[in-house]
Amino acid sequence: MKYIILVFALLMISVTTYAQKLSSSNSELELSFKLKSDGTPTYSLNYKGKEVISESKLGLELVNDDKSLLDGFQIKEITSSWADETWKPVWGEQSEIRNHYKEMAVTLEQPEENRHIILRFRLFDDGLGFRYEFPQQKNLVYFVIKEEHTEFAMTGDHTAFWIPGDYDSQEYDYTTSKLSEINELFDKALSHNASQEQFSKTGVQTSLMMKTNGGIYINLHEAALKEYSLMNLNLDEDSLTFKSWLTPDAIGNKGYLQAPAVSPWRTIMVSDDATDILASNMNLNLNEPNKLEDTSWIKPIKYMGVWWEMITGKSSWNYTDELPSVKLGETDFSKAKPNQKHAANTEHVKDYIDFASKHGFDALLVEGWNEGWEDWFGHSKDYVFDFVTPYPDFDVEEIQKYAASKNIEMMMHHETSGAIRNYERHLDTAYQFMNKYGYTSVKSGYVGDIIPRGEHHYGQWAINHYLYAVKKAADYKIMVNAHEAVRPTGLRRTYPNMIGNESARGTEFQAFGGSKPNHVTILPFTRLIGGPMDYTPGIFEMDISKLNPDNNSHVNATIANQLALYVTMYSPLQMAADLPENYEHFMDAFQFIKDVAIDWDESHYLEAEPGEYITVARKAKGKPDWFVGNVNGNSPRSTKLKLDFLEKGKNYEATIYADAKDAHYKTNPQAYKISTKKVTSKSTLKLKSAAGGGFAINIIQK
Ligand code: NOJ
Ligand code: CA
């Protein structure tokens, strides 16, 4: 492993208003830092000689403080350094990651207050990260943030792929529009509930993907979000400048910091090739190295679940429909009348275990196994889960033994209903219960308003909790996949037992009406920038009324598209979400899900355009075999795929799972064609993808 860091310092004794410049190693990006005449810090960013971020202010406004950290600054010191190291993730898109950047750290002093902060900039070949640092000092001990005032000034009316600003949910379809159109489209984009009342109608969430009229791709996000509130972006329409807009707490404050402290990194990725945005490791590199000493127990997981039948309304999480008010620990469920729809019953779970085992899966998730689901949809919060009491028809010991005999690990489910303190009180006993019964991973969930404090899902308090739950899980050697938690910002590097997150509109929305067919061509540019998603792909029966006659939803994808997702949506946690009986009808297509790898040595992003298509090739970890996936947006598309990523001089057999000629996500989603072909690194494949379609290819070395 190569590791070099050099530091040198320039001491600037006097105030300087000259721009300080830093260029990336490949010379494509140039950062300028400057103080305005009133001592307000600003930065700008050029790409290939063109401005991509024009002069933008930096600073923080504090509560109860006459002087905020906004202006009146002088430069005290500037240090420069660089790093070039290679590190190995426990799991990931590639087995080695290069972290290569140039750094400039500017110490800014407010002389009258006799206090200072540091602005640390890291310039990579594919983007810029910067953060605020608050060193320990006499005159800045602890403080409350009223608002962070970081700006990202755009240079034109770019096309943006956006979801509305929100303090509690990212589960939206994306809207594609010009920046100047966000305001008028905002209400339409708000498909549901949540907490937008306090929000302006030009607020959007990150990761925000944009494309300029000149064909430059810009992505704004954050890295290493810890002990701080999530940043939304609010667009000033006149100047086309995004301004940071932190998530408030229950009383409107935006963060409580005690020095020494740092903000998350604010990130700007830039390239004229969209595939560079998908290939970037900048977000991960801005996070701290792995803090877990022993990682031998952390493993990628391919799993099935007793789940889709609940989400579609075919069966239920709750055991009985009889109880208007249930008191946890008091209600005797063995005396209650079962509703006959409770899916988490021992016999049914065993059927799933049989199927998952027969087809080589690692694990099985079962939801609705524990007492308490009678009320959770109502969120009356009269009672909450204890995470250790199974319903009478779920024999935890019997299921555990049966699963072990079939080489299947059981995946735990903890729905917290947003009752975070209740969950924290039960966390040790819940994890001990998992250890006792051999559960090695947990899917947790935070549906509903956060209680008891009336906080938001993306405020500092809740964000502290999500990481607390992950760290404590590591003590018990448990992997965590949290739904409805804050969207990832690369923390998986530091805590690799955080193997999944939802935090976006996943497949479940296909059972609540349907998602836009091009949704999956946008997610890798947005939600996945910070880390993997438990998207739960693999739906083969698109007509949901076949599962539940009362549900008219339609899954807007072809079967070939669903297969491709295992490659295009990188995750160490991949689910085959449909019911066994739906797979039984298409066992030849199901073979791809059985074969596809879930950990990788290399990833090559072959072609991509947000909203339109993505084609990715990945090499299975420790094996010579490759998997290729293509997802396609709203219109049919043809492509010529060069297989020059294959090892030269070797022979391979490709099995191609493609849309049939007449396939279409709406009218003919189950039409696919499987073919095989001998290929080498010199081969080119001509392929066609239907609207909402795609292809998946398995390339085995012979
Ligand atoms: C929402 C999650 O996204 C879904 O996967 C889960 O089944 C329900 N909450 C219940 O916890
Ligand atoms: Ca969800």
Side-chain angles (χ1 to χ4, degrees), residues 171 311 447 483-484 502-506 508-509 512:
E171 297 186 6
I311 283 284
V447 170
H483 279 223
E484 294 89 31
E502 183 193 39
S503 322
R505 182 171 278 229
E508 64 182 20
F509 274 85
F512 311 154

Side-chain angles (χ1 to χ4, degrees), residues 307 311 317 367 373 376 413 415 443 447 483-484 502 508:
W307 174 74
I311 283 284
W317 284 272
E367 298 201 1
W373 289 87
W376 86 283
H413 183 233
E415 175 55 63
K443 170 180 171 180
V447 170
H483 279 223
E484 294 89 31
E502 183 193 39
E508 64 182 20

Side-chain angles (χ1 to χ4, degrees), residues 36 93 139 148 171 210 226 228 233 244 247 266 273 344 350 376 382-383 449 452 460 481 510 606 628 654 664 680:
K36 288 171 91 85
E93 297 94 319
N139 291 339
E148 180 183 319
E171 297 186 6
M210 286 173 283
K226 294 183 281 198
Y228 206 88
L233 296 173
S244 54
T247 305
R266 277 57 186 100
D273 183 342
K350 280 186 178 175
W376 86 283
D382 280 353
Y383 71 95
D449 296 339
Q460 187 182 15
N481 165 27
Q510 301 274 24
L606 305 177
V628 180
H664 186 277
T680 68

